[in-house]
Amino acid sequence: MRPLLVRFIGFSFIVCCVSFSLVHGATELNRSFPFEPGSNLVFEGNHCSVNIEGGQGSGLQVQGKCRGEIDKYYNISFDKRQDGLYISIKEIRRREEKSYLFGLFKFVNGNSFGLDRKKQLRLTIRLPRQSNIDVTTRHGELDIRSVEGEVKAQNAHGHLNCSLITGNVHAFNSHGQITCESITGDLEVQTSHRNMSCQDIAGRVVARNSHGGIELARIGGLLEARTSHDPITLGHADSVSVLENSH
């Protein structure tokens, strides 16, 4: 009985590896997974741009294109969990050496990624409209739209956009612009060194910025907005708790 169990486990492991492996040298990614409405998507990625769209009835699709060999520049893993799906996309760092003035000078970078932003992996994830999303990215664009559920979005060094969300939204960025529009729920938003725009928010809004402006319009709930070194522009808010601009 024990040998049968070992063989069964080994077979299951092989099936998972084949299902998630990339064709060597591929520049496109196309994967589909079971994903019921109300499930959770957790995504962590570096040096990639991500577009997440809600709408289809069930199932989750991941499509991506890269102007380089994906398996050369990225480690990609998918982990099907009981409550949803976890996706991890990490850049592969390598030693890079460049020569200047006919080889007289050499520059060695032992931690190079090798793809500029125009060539990096661009992903589109389509999932049921009723989904909960928790996304963390760096050095890429992040766009989330048409979702009914809680959204947690964190980015750095790239734009972050959330729109047409029914549910509470927590959006955090660093050195990147934030745009939040048409949110039916509460919004907590924070960035630095870039501007933010929040419009057509039905619930409470807490907006914090540093060295960047804040533009607000049509806020239905209690508003709290704080920034420094740049102005706060307010179109309309039903109730204002704090508007603070330091320096």
Side-chain angles (χ1 to χ4, degrees):
M1 191 68 184
R2 184 179 181 84
L4 290 176
L5 180 60
V6 172
R7 283 198 296 270
F8 177 76
I9 293 175
F11 175 76
S12 299
F13 174 77
I14 291 173
V15 170
C16 290
C17 287
V18 171
S19 297
F20 301 151
S21 63
L22 280 168
V23 176
H24 178 67
T27 59
E28 295 187 2
L29 173 68
N30 197 334
R31 292 287 184 271
S32 297
F33 300 92
F35 196 90
E36 295 299 321
S39 297
N40 300 318
L41 170 65
V42 179
F43 180 98
E44 294 182 355
N46 294 333
H47 289 277
C48 59
S49 294
V50 186
N51 179 31
I52 300 176
E53 302 176 358
Q56 63 185 51
S58 63
L60 182 146
Q61 295 179 331
V62 182
Q63 295 177 317
K65 291 185 178 182
C66 180
R67 293 176 63 184
E69 298 176 6
I70 296 176
D71 61 342
K72 178 180 178 180
Y73 293 101
Y74 296 95
N75 285 320
I76 301 178
S77 63
F78 302 92
D79 182 11
K80 188 71 177 70
R81 299 177 175 178
Q82 186 174 2
D83 62 346
L85 182 68
Y86 169 76
I87 302 175
S88 174
I89 298 182
K90 305 296 184 182
E91 79 278 21
I92 298 175
R93 298 285 180 170
R94 54 174 50 83
R95 176 185 174 91
E96 182 182 49
E97 182 175 307
K98 293 183 178 180
S99 298
Y100 301 93
L101 293 178
F102 305 101
L104 294 176
F105 298 95
K106 290 185 178 181
F107 172 77
V108 178
N109 184 354
N111 191 32
S112 173
F113 174 49
L115 275 182
D116 60 37
R117 181 161 293 192
K118 292 181 180 180
K119 297 181 180 180
Q120 69 184 11
L121 181 61
R122 297 184 179 275
L123 291 172
T124 297
I125 300 175
R126 296 181 175 88
L127 74 178
R129 182 179 296 273
Q130 295 177 335
S131 300
N132 300 307
I133 296 173
D134 187 345
V135 181
T136 302
T137 60
R138 292 190 300 119
H139 299 285
E141 314 300 320
L142 176 57
D143 186 280
I144 304 172
R145 64 181 63 228
S146 302
V147 171
E148 296 178 5
E150 184 174 16
V151 172
K152 297 179 181 178
Q154 183 171 338
N155 197 12
H157 302 282
H159 294 334
L160 194 166
N161 302 309
C162 295
S163 61
L164 301 172
I165 309 295
T166 301
N168 296 332
V169 175
H170 311 269
F172 302 96
N173 206 346
S174 176
H175 296 272
Q177 181 176 322
I178 293 183
T179 302
C180 294
E181 297 178 341
S182 301
I183 309 295
T184 305
D186 295 338
L187 172 64
E188 181 182 9
V189 59
Q190 179 175 329
T191 191
S192 63
H193 301 278
R194 292 292 188 274
N195 295 331
M196 70 167 62
S197 174
C198 306
Q199 301 185 42
D200 297 302
I201 314 299
R204 182 172 182 263
V205 173
V206 177
R208 299 184 182 94
N209 203 347
S210 176
H211 298 272
I214 300 178
E215 181 182 355
L216 303 158
R218 299 177 295 281
I219 308 300
L222 187 65
L223 171 63
E224 176 185 333
R226 305 173 189 267
T227 189
S228 63
H229 301 281
D230 275 288
I232 298 176
T233 303
L234 178 60
H236 171 78
D238 288 352
S239 180
V240 177
S241 172
V242 176
L243 285 181
E244 180 180 297
N245 190 340
S246 59
H247 305 285

